[in-house]
Amino acid sequence: MLTVFSDQHALRDARTELYGGELVPPFECPVRAQHILERVREVDLGEVVAPRDFGIVPLTRIHDADFIRFLETCWDEWVAGGFRGEAIATCWPARGMQQQRVPRHIEGKLGHYALAAETSISDGTWEAARASVNVALTAQAALADGAREAFALCRPPGHHAASDLFGGYCFINNAAVATQAFLDQGATRVALLDVDFHHGNGSQAIFYDRDDVLFVSLHGDPSEAFPHFLGYADETGRGKGEGFNRNYPMGPGTDYSTWGAALADACGKIRDYGPDALVVSLGVDTFERDPISFFKLKSDDFRRYGATIAALGVPTLFVMEGGYAVEEIGVNAVNVLEGYEGR
């Protein structure tokens, strides 16, 4: 299996995350990607290549152009404003406040475009996010050229980023941009399967009123887990997208017997949809020892569900999302890919 990777991911090396009322070193850190890359090479998964630069246009097929400009200029505006720490949102257009006008001041812009306060913007964030989406697009291009599967080793992740929102460690929705690329190149329908512990709120919001993308997500019950305000089972799509959004929220302590049954049902929905391609938002924070989740999957379970996805027989693009048990992230992520390949 081809792996696409950029060492520019390391430019995103934030120092601060708001967690449990404290500023802590971020769980989403550069060593995550390095562990995965080392495991890819250790098992000889296949060729590792650097990404091509696809420019800004594919991003604006998914994201608001003003939002992209904000990501590009945020750090410079923050520094010019005289702030000494990293850029963290401190105010939002909450219920009852007008939400249409974007403030001129960078503090207001941050609140307008942020969905949560845990994710700071630091020097190098924009460059790393651009490299990450190029990783996804390069892997997608390999499938467009005839490959049956590819792995986009993206960092930072993307599935929490909506058309004009960042947060949850995500800035550009890599999986959504790749999904749109398939459609722009002639696919008539694409399935996006999100197996990250946290609901892919950004991906859902982007495709919620569309029938050319089936979005299916297995995740921690949002009444108990981030992002809290999206991901419930009764969210099934809107307008012509009705019926093309399926959520499988599950509670604390969920093990593979429950999670695997949900995946089997989700794969049945994908099979019935008959997509031309499948994009998998691959988060391995469902692992039993992940520090910020509450599922109980074991390392061997990742191999098992890789085989389940392979049984769909659809060209498949794996896009790396979360996973924060750093010592095990390489084994768990690559177990999915080896299970997919039947190793």
Side-chain angles (χ1 to χ4, degrees):
M1 182 183 299
L2 175 72
T3 294
V4 185
F5 171 78
S6 171
D7 57 12
Q8 285 193 296
H9 80 89
L11 296 173
R12 166 68 183 168
D13 191 11
R15 302 186 307 275
T16 49
E17 173 179 339
L18 181 60
Y19 178 78
E22 300 178 290
L23 288 176
V24 302
F27 291 97
E28 203 294 292
C29 55
V31 72
R32 297 174 60 247
Q34 294 304 134
H35 279 305
I36 298 169
L37 182 65
E38 288 168 8
R39 184 63 176 174
V40 163
R41 288 175 168 157
E42 181 181 345
V43 305
D44 195 21
L45 187 70
E47 184 181 11
V48 178
V49 301
R52 295 154 42 195
D53 187 350
F54 287 79
I56 294 296
V57 172
L59 281 62
T60 59
R61 295 286 291 133
I62 289 296
H63 292 288
D64 178 80
D66 288 338
F67 172 65
I68 294 299
R69 281 192 289 273
F70 160 77
L71 292 177
E72 185 176 9
T73 61
C74 175
W75 179 249
D76 288 342
E77 287 191 52
W78 181 258
V79 172
F83 298 102
R84 291 181 295 176
E86 295 178 331
I88 301 175
T90 57
C91 60
W92 286 267
R95 289 187 300 276
M97 300 173 71
Q98 69 85 19
Q99 301 188 33
Q100 302 306 312
R101 283 173 282 190
V102 182
R104 283 192 298 272
H105 194 277
I106 186 58
E107 184 180 43
K109 287 181 183 179
L110 277 163
H112 181 82
Y113 289 119
L115 67 90
E118 85 292 279
T119 302
S120 64
I121 289 180
S122 57
D123 188 19
T125 295
W126 165 248
E127 291 80 5
R130 283 279 288 112
S132 189
V133 73
N134 279 327
V135 165
L137 287 168
T138 301
Q140 186 277 330
L143 268 72
D145 289 341
R148 293 291 295 178
E149 66 274 330
F151 175 39
L153 207 180
C154 292
R155 180 182 174 270
H159 71 150
H160 292 306
S163 62
D164 61 353
L165 290 172
F166 77 93
Y169 314 139
C170 302
F171 305 95
I172 299 169
N173 195 314
N174 306 309
V177 172
T179 295
Q180 185 63 49
F182 279 116
L183 295 165
D184 290 344
Q185 294 163 16
T188 58
R189 49 179 61 188
V190 179
L192 175 49
L193 171 63
D194 194 321
V195 294
D196 191 279
F197 169 77
H198 302 93
H199 178 252
N201 60 285
S203 300
Q204 172 172 309
I206 288 165
F207 297 116
Y208 201 61
D209 60 356
R210 294 172 53 171
D211 61 2
D212 55 353
V213 176
L214 173 67
F215 177 69
V216 184
S217 180
L218 286 65
H219 52 268
D221 187 334
S223 68
E224 304 269 1
F226 184 92
H228 293 297
F229 303 106
L230 212 62
Y232 292 87
D234 61 359
E235 298 162 8
T236 57
R238 179 177 55 235
K240 67 179 182 179
E242 178 62 44
F244 295 94
N245 193 93
R246 182 63 188 268
N247 287 320
Y248 295 82
M250 290 167 275
T254 292
D255 62 11
Y256 192 76
S257 63
T258 300
W259 193 94
L263 179 65
D265 192 78
C267 286
K269 299 290 189 297
I270 294 169
R271 189 175 291 107
D272 291 343
Y273 184 63
D276 299 309
L278 171 65
V279 177
V280 179
S281 274
L282 178 59
V284 294
D285 42 1
T286 50
F287 182 56
E288 61 183 344
R289 291 195 292 277
D290 193 276
I292 55 174
S293 80
F294 53 62
F295 286 174
K296 300 300 178 185
L297 272 62
K298 301 181 183 301
S299 289
D300 286 346
D301 295 331
F302 293 95
R303 190 180 299 274
R304 293 166 65 188
Y305 84 65
T308 299
I309 294 170
L312 289 168
V314 179
T316 301
L317 170 60
F318 291 93
V319 177
M320 196 66 211
E321 302 285 3
Y324 308 102
V326 172
E327 293 301 319
E328 296 90 354
I329 188 174
V331 170
N332 293 338
V334 176
N335 273 4
V336 177
L337 307 177
E338 288 194 293
Y340 181 91
E341 290 196 320
R343 295 193 184 197

